[in-house]
Amino acid sequence: MNPSTNKNGCVLTCCGRPAPTSQSSVISTLSDKMPIKCNTGCQKNAVLKRPKTGDALCKECFFWAFEEEVHHTITAAKLFTPGDYVAIAASGGKDSTVLAYIMKLLNDRYNYGLKLVLLSVDEGITGYRDDSLETVKRNEQQYDIPLKVVSYEELYGWTMDRIVQETGRKSNCTFCGVFRRQALDRGATLLEVDKIVTGHNADDIAETVLMNILRGDIARLQRCTALVTGSEGAISRSKPFKYTYEKEIVMYAYFKKLDYFSTECIYSPNAYRGYARAFLKDLEKIRATTIIDIIHSGECFSVREGIKLPTQSTCECCGHISSQPICKACVLLEGLNKGKPKLGIGKTSKVREHMNEIINEKLGDEPKQIPQTTITDAGITATHHNKNKNLDF
Amino acid sequence: MCSVDPDELTVMTRATGGLDISGLCFLSYFVHKFRSTIGKSKQIQPGDRVLVATSGGPSSAALLHLIREGLNENSHKKLRFEPVFLYVDESCVSNSPKTGPEYVEKICSEVISRDFLCYVTSLQQVMAPEAHPPVLFTKEWKEMNLPGSPDLDKKLCELLTSCRSISAQQDLHEQLRHKVILQSAHDLGYTKVFFADNSTKLSINILSQVAVGRGSQLPSRVHFRALHRDVEVYRPMREILEYEIQQYILLHGLTILPAPSFNPEGTSIVSCTEEFILGLQKDFPATIPTVFRTGDKLMSTSSGSSKCSTPDVNGDSGSKSTANVNNDPCVMCGSQIDTGQCEASAFIATLVSQKLSCNHPSVHTLQQNSTNRISDGKSKMILNGEVNDSNELKNTVSKTEDSCDCSQNSDCCDGAKSTANSGLKLLTKDMIEDLLCYGCRIILKEMTEVQHLPVKMKQTAAELERRRHMRAHIQDFLL
């Protein structure tokens, strides 16, 4: 008897077909039919339907498929070399918990030869972050991976709670995101790791592609689908879960009984990303493979010639990578410290004015003597360049 | 008060910028946008013969009027190309097939009344082995003149219904319509075609194409000028919003004729995207222009050199053989094939997932060694979702594209040796799959019966397949 005659079951299909039933059910309810056999032909009964391909699989085959896919992503992109010291960005949520588990598992199974450490960022959001940090500490014990926590308080002197008090609820995701990225980099530098891995999954990347199209951010659109990001000097970051669906991560954690903390950040409801996310969820209901299709489309993009892109250099204040003379984190911090919280959120001309004021204050009596390496240099050369340009025409 | 010309009274608000504007100022702004889109590209030369595709809808009606006005101007501002109109009758796949001929008459009479020539063709021509060239519409038009036959009608309907989901049907319909128009242009000897797509429609198109996996084809669907084989496609209305077109029609009192077209009921990717964009536009009025401008700035990467993280793609034997494939255009939609990418790409990830979901873990040890050759053997391993037993898998894994192992896959040799007709009958899904771009593969996956594909498409597919085998044989000796 051919075990693959899944044609009995109305639900089972070849890959990529949109599921007729709602995708929200993790375990397919096929109570009116005979038990469906696992699609791989291993003779066991299927207990779940894969959100990604629609195939019915038993638990072990699903685990195998999931792990193998991540392994394939890692090897195909040559993410690691043996002997690397790798930091796993851990927030305590589902992605990072499963990531920590999988990295440990694959490291042991396939002998990547990596030394792992968990790196966690404490933004100082009461009721959200302190709970998830408990989860990370539990992970540290369960998976036997050392943990390092860096907090906004010690790095910048501000917690997210205080920032929201200053700026209100509208642009707080900007602050948190910019600060967190730098916090991860700084934590990684402190630990002296070679690489960082983050738990961004396929849904996140598809959302980012959509969001960047909606906001017209060409530069980010080019970069967001790359598996490995980071330039020279900065620690490279990679996303092993790039092709893994969020639903499958949850399914994996559920069946493996991995514990994680799952709540939305209390400040997030007004983010623009919410629109892209809602759209993506609707698309996923219509056709399950849209998520990967969007990533594929994103990988095929490049920018037309003649379009100006912001160049990447380093910040003059702190030395981090930045496309402006002063990086966003320094600008935001400056704004917070000087009581002008909207400094980094509003117009760039205001930023430049503010920075010029600071320089003039610092120089005191002789505002005219501006050394070559100051920030205003960029501003002045820019205006000169503009004037020249007009004359040329 | 009008914000442009203070003397005039306001008639309406312009969509972008929310400015109050009078009727006259709006009209001059509207016409200016149309003219400047054509003018700044410098692609339309005086005396060019242009085929304008019309559907009877608002954008087409506005385009018709604009072209007429433009040609009437007796000054240096006069538009200087020679347009001819084409109407594609889609009534056979619409909800009301009987009204087809009636609308043909209405729409074409409208065109003729403006002193232009009008040709008519029908969507089912795409199914015919030899397409009937479009017929010129004259005052003595009779229903019989419409090219097509009930047999072709039936075939077309079968093709569309063989796709399981509405999204696939809509996508396929779009490709077929495109094909018919380009085919007609070719038959009539025109190298330039105008489409009346407006900015709103293009923005929706951008997002829905991305969602369907056709990101690499965005430039040819969205830019002002796109090249399809030897026909150039232009979109002169691309910077004008739908709202503005409606105002224009109101001000000039133009007639809109909603022709019967393919309009399936239910949610699809396109309808979902449309809802999303129009909803977002209400809260964030800059959405449509931003999406449109983003699409404008994008190009597709050349095949094989896209976002790969692996440093040495050239050394990989798998990608080398697929690189040869990418010179052929996709059999279904005619665009560049975008599946010749390196290991660490979304496309390969989907293949890996499919493979892992179908095969027993014990067979995986075999696959471990041949991960590099996935792109060679992938299509052979996935035969319509059925599980192969491990013996067959072993053989297919060790088989490379060079060998033509007749005992395994009788289709290919039969296709090579016998005539075109019998080769067609044995065309399988995975054979055609290799010849399609990513977006068309999705459509193919949803089709229940491959044989419903248009005859021409199957012929081209079989021919390409044979050429591939020929090339594989002489691979080592090609310089």
Side-chain angles (χ1 to χ4, degrees):
Chain A
M1 240 337 264
N2 190 352
S4 71
T5 44
N6 307 311
K7 315 216 166 69
N8 304 340
C10 53
V11 186
L12 304 178
T13 64
C14 24
C15 330
R17 179 182 163 189
T21 55
S22 92
Q23 293 236 331
S24 53
S25 58
V26 168
I27 303 171
S28 51
T29 47
L30 304 161
S31 47
D32 51 341
K33 301 261 180 209
M34 278 184 43
I36 311 288
K37 293 287 179 195
C38 174
N39 202 26
T40 61
C42 70
Q43 304 291 1
K44 297 206 200 78
N45 283 342
V47 295
L48 56 92
K49 188 172 64 147
R50 265 195 99 172
K52 194 170 188 178
T53 57
D55 299 314
L57 294 177
C58 67
K59 219 163 56 168
E60 289 76 25
C61 292
F62 172 64
F63 291 158
W64 171 265
F66 187 86
E67 289 150 13
E68 277 307 295
E69 277 168 24
V70 181
H71 173 63
H72 177 262
T73 310
I74 293 178
T75 42
K78 297 191 176 54
L79 292 182
F80 309 122
T81 46
D84 273 346
Y85 187 20
V86 173
I88 304 176
S91 62
K94 59 177 172 2
D95 297 329
S96 42
T97 310
V98 177
L99 181 65
Y101 181 83
I102 289 259
M103 287 297 290
K104 183 113 176 54
L105 184 89
L106 293 179
N107 194 26
D108 293 337
R109 188 187 286 177
Y110 292 109
N111 298 323
Y112 293 158
L114 305 173
K115 186 169 158 218
L116 300 174
V117 65
L118 289 172
L119 180 58
S120 194
V121 175
D122 178 12
E123 302 105 345
I125 303 178
T126 37
Y128 170 68
R129 190 45 86 204
D130 30 0
D131 285 339
S132 58
L133 271 183
E134 291 303 310
T135 312
V136 185
K137 287 183 186 139
R138 256 207 311 277
N139 288 344
E140 178 191 21
Q141 272 139 24
Q142 284 168 337
Y143 310 145
D144 201 20
I145 310 177
L147 166 68
K148 165 103 186 114
V149 181
V150 290
S151 72
Y152 283 6
E153 183 72 54
E154 63 185 50
L155 285 175
Y156 308 113
W158 284 80
T159 60
M160 272 314 291
D161 285 338
R162 276 179 57 214
I163 292 178
V164 173
Q165 275 169 8
E166 291 276 327
T167 61
R169 288 225 166 192
K170 212 157 177 212
S171 322
N172 31 42
C173 288
T174 309
F175 281 92
C176 191
V178 171
F179 283 165
R180 184 180 316 127
R181 169 177 273 267
Q182 275 220 0
L184 266 179
D185 280 338
R186 289 182 197 213
T189 325
L190 277 175
L191 288 171
E192 290 175 15
V193 298
D194 298 313
K195 305 202 164 112
I196 305 178
V197 286
T198 53
H200 289 103
N201 55 41
D203 296 51
D204 291 330
I205 301 196
E207 242 170 62
T208 311
V209 170
L210 289 176
M211 202 169 88
N212 286 334
I213 295 180
L214 288 172
R215 293 201 318 190
D217 201 332
I218 300 286
R220 286 219 174 87
L221 199 53
Q222 262 201 309
R223 296 197 302 260
C224 65
T225 42
L227 254 170
V228 181
T229 50
S231 57
E232 293 156 25
I235 302 180
S236 70
R237 302 162 171 237
S238 36
K239 308 178 179 101
F241 280 170
K242 183 182 172 196
Y243 301 119
T244 329
Y245 280 36
E246 190 173 1
K247 281 217 166 72
E248 299 214 336
I249 294 181
V250 174
M251 221 187 248
Y252 189 83
Y254 178 83
F255 281 110
K256 279 259 180 186
K257 299 195 176 29
L258 302 176
D259 189 27
Y260 62 83
F261 178 78
S262 64
T263 326
E264 285 282 310
C265 172
I266 48 183
Y267 297 132
S268 75
N270 304 327
Y272 190 75
R273 190 175 269 264
Y275 294 108
R277 180 172 301 152
F279 178 49
L280 189 67
K281 288 300 153 200
D282 288 335
L283 284 178
E284 196 187 347
K285 281 200 202 101
I286 297 176
R287 188 190 270 180
T289 56
T290 4
I291 299 181
I292 293 271
D293 297 340
I294 294 178
I295 302 183
H296 173 84
S297 301
E299 286 174 356
C300 296
F301 287 155
S302 77
V303 181
R304 251 221 280 220
E305 288 148 39
I307 307 287
K308 209 159 62 83
L309 286 178
T311 47
Q312 300 201 316
S313 52
T314 45
C315 170
E316 317 220 352
C317 267
C318 63
H320 263 89
I321 183 175
S322 161
S323 59
Q324 312 289 333
I326 308 202
C327 72
K328 193 71 164 182
C330 292
V331 168
L332 291 175
L333 210 50
E334 177 65 28
L336 284 173
N337 288 335
K338 292 285 158 67
K340 290 195 205 175
K342 294 285 181 190
L343 190 59
I345 313 285
K347 301 183 181 175
T348 40
S349 54
K350 305 271 184 207
V351 176
R352 217 178 293 137
E353 266 175 44
H354 184 90
M355 289 308 171
N356 286 349
E357 278 171 26
I358 300 178
I359 296 299
N360 288 338
E361 279 169 21
K362 277 195 192 152
L363 297 175
D365 302 310
E366 305 181 44
K368 286 178 197 165
Q369 247 190 25
I370 300 169
Q372 288 301 314
T373 52
T374 53
I375 308 103
T376 45
D377 208 43
I380 289 176
T381 20
T383 41
H384 276 161
H385 180 70
N386 273 337
K387 284 188 189 143
N388 285 340
K389 220 175 154 194
N390 286 335
L391 286 174
D392 280 346
F393 219 81
Chain B
M1 204 154 45
C2 171
S3 25
V4 175
D5 186 356
D7 294 333
E8 301 274 339
L9 287 175
T10 307
V11 171
M12 47 174 276
T13 46
R14 205 167 81 193
T16 40
L19 295 174
D20 293 335
I21 201 169
S22 72
L24 280 175
C25 299
F26 171 75
L27 285 176
S28 64
Y29 152 79
F30 190 90
V31 174
H32 170 76
K33 257 208 185 164
F34 172 67
R35 295 299 200 81
S36 69
T37 312
I38 299 185
K40 69 186 174 193
S41 69
K42 298 195 178 42
Q43 295 285 342
I44 309 289
Q45 311 295 340
D48 272 346
R49 296 164 69 236
V50 171
L51 185 68
V52 183
T54 178
S55 65
S59 302
S60 304
L63 184 59
L64 173 63
H65 193 261
L66 281 168
I67 293 183
R68 181 75 267 165
E69 297 285 302
L71 286 175
N72 279 350
E73 274 198 53
N74 43 7
S75 63
H76 66 281
K77 280 206 239 161
K78 185 173 161 171
L79 276 181
R80 289 215 188 102
F81 56 88
E82 290 160 20
V84 144
F85 284 73
L86 174 73
Y87 172 66
V88 179
D89 173 50
E90 293 180 18
S91 52
C92 54
V93 290
S94 72
N95 298 329
S96 49
K98 298 278 175 356
T99 58
E102 180 191 328
Y103 273 97
V104 167
E105 257 198 74
K106 280 194 198 158
I107 293 176
C108 296
S109 316
E110 182 72 32
V111 173
I112 295 218
S113 68
R114 307 242 181 217
D115 233 0
F116 289 123
L117 290 177
C118 189
Y119 286 94
V120 184
T121 183
S122 45
L123 193 59
Q124 62 259 54
Q125 287 303 312
V126 77
M127 304 298 294
E130 279 302 321
H132 194 285
V135 179
L136 186 61
F137 182 84
T138 54
K139 292 219 175 60
E140 297 86 27
W141 177 262
K142 301 249 189 326
E143 195 180 316
M144 269 56 83
N145 295 4
L146 192 66
S149 68
D151 184 42
L152 289 178
D153 276 0
K154 192 158 130 325
K155 280 196 188 155
L156 183 61
C157 289
E158 265 174 11
L159 175 61
L160 283 176
T161 44
S162 73
C163 299
R164 291 192 209 110
S165 75
I166 301 177
S167 315
Q169 287 177 5
Q170 279 187 326
D171 201 7
L172 183 58
H173 164 258
E174 189 61 37
Q175 306 309 322
L176 293 176
R177 189 185 141 85
H178 219 238
K179 246 192 159 135
V180 166
I181 295 179
L182 294 177
Q183 178 67 40
S184 310
H186 189 76
D187 287 338
L188 293 172
Y190 282 83
T191 49
K192 299 195 182 189
V193 178
F194 272 13
F195 277 147
D197 294 330
N198 60 44
S199 176
T200 310
K201 177 155 186 277
L202 286 178
S203 305
I204 296 174
N205 236 9
I206 290 172
L207 274 190
S208 54
Q209 299 275 295
V210 166
V212 160
R214 289 185 190 270
S216 59
Q217 296 158 17
L218 262 192
S220 64
R221 309 279 163 185
V222 162
H223 287 179
F224 174 66
R225 176 180 180 270
L227 190 63
H228 289 265
R229 311 278 182 99
D230 41 356
V231 177
E232 295 170 2
V233 172
Y234 295 93
R235 297 182 157 91
M237 307 277 279
R238 64 195 292 268
E239 297 193 13
I240 306 176
L241 294 169
E242 180 129 16
Y243 167 80
E244 293 171 345
I245 291 184
Q246 280 160 358
Q247 291 294 334
Y248 183 78
I249 289 173
L250 221 63
L251 285 172
H252 275 291
L254 302 175
T255 37
I256 314 294
L257 298 153
S261 64
F262 182 63
N263 236 342
E265 295 276 326
T267 17
S268 66
I269 291 187
V270 173
S271 71
C272 183
T273 313
E274 191 170 337
E275 226 179 276
F276 173 66
I277 289 231
L278 294 179
L280 206 58
Q281 174 76 4
K282 290 201 194 95
D283 295 324
F284 299 93
T287 309
I288 292 185
T290 312
V291 175
F292 171 73
R293 260 198 301 277
T294 315
D296 207 17
K297 292 184 193 164
L298 292 174
M299 282 288 271
S300 67
T301 51
S302 52
S303 51
S305 63
S306 52
K307 309 285 165 47
C308 298
S309 318
T310 41
D312 53 339
V313 179
N314 295 327
D316 200 39
S317 64
S319 60
K320 191 173 171 200
S321 50
T322 47
N324 291 334
V325 164
N326 294 333
N327 295 330
D328 303 320
C330 166
V331 171
M332 201 181 272
C333 63
S335 32
Q336 275 294 95
I337 294 196
D338 54 355
T339 52
Q341 286 166 337
C342 63
E343 287 286 330
S345 66
F347 174 60
I348 301 289
T350 45
L351 295 173
V352 171
S353 305
Q354 284 168 9
K355 181 182 66 122
L356 288 172
S357 302
C358 293
N359 297 324
H360 193 271
S362 68
V363 187
H364 287 297
T365 45
L366 256 132
Q367 262 59 300
Q368 288 306 325
N369 304 329
S370 65
T371 1
N372 278 348
R373 291 193 292 182
I374 286 178
S375 35
D376 282 329
K378 63 185 183 305
S379 53
K380 313 288 191 283
M381 285 195 255
I382 306 157
L383 294 174
N384 297 339
E386 288 172 33
V387 173
N388 304 317
D389 60 15
S390 38
N391 280 335
E392 206 178 350
L393 268 173
K394 254 191 224 167
N395 288 332
T396 52
V397 160
S398 56
K399 183 166 84 168
T400 59
E401 274 210 20
D402 291 14
S403 64
C404 182
D405 204 352
C406 296
S407 57
Q408 289 303 317
N409 192 357
S410 55
D411 297 346
C412 64
C413 276
D414 274 357
K417 287 180 190 160
S418 53
T419 60
N421 281 335
S422 53
L424 285 179
K425 295 203 182 75
L426 297 169
L427 218 53
T428 56
K429 243 188 191 178
D430 45 296
M431 275 169 74
I432 304 191
E433 205 177 49
D434 270 341
L435 303 167
L436 299 179
C437 66
Y438 190 90
C440 294
R441 276 181 198 237
I442 300 179
I443 300 181
L444 189 72
K445 264 191 225 142
E446 298 207 9
M447 285 179 68
T448 46
E449 183 53 68
V450 167
Q451 303 308 326
H452 287 151
L453 283 175
V455 174
K456 237 189 186 160
M457 210 184 281
K458 289 194 281 197
Q459 278 173 348
T460 327
E463 191 187 311
L464 279 178
E465 186 70 22
R466 290 193 291 270
R467 277 189 68 77
R468 280 216 203 158
H469 281 286
M470 281 192 248
R471 190 158 40 200
H473 272 246
I474 54 173
Q475 184 62 45
D476 296 332
F477 299 96
L478 287 175
L479 289 174

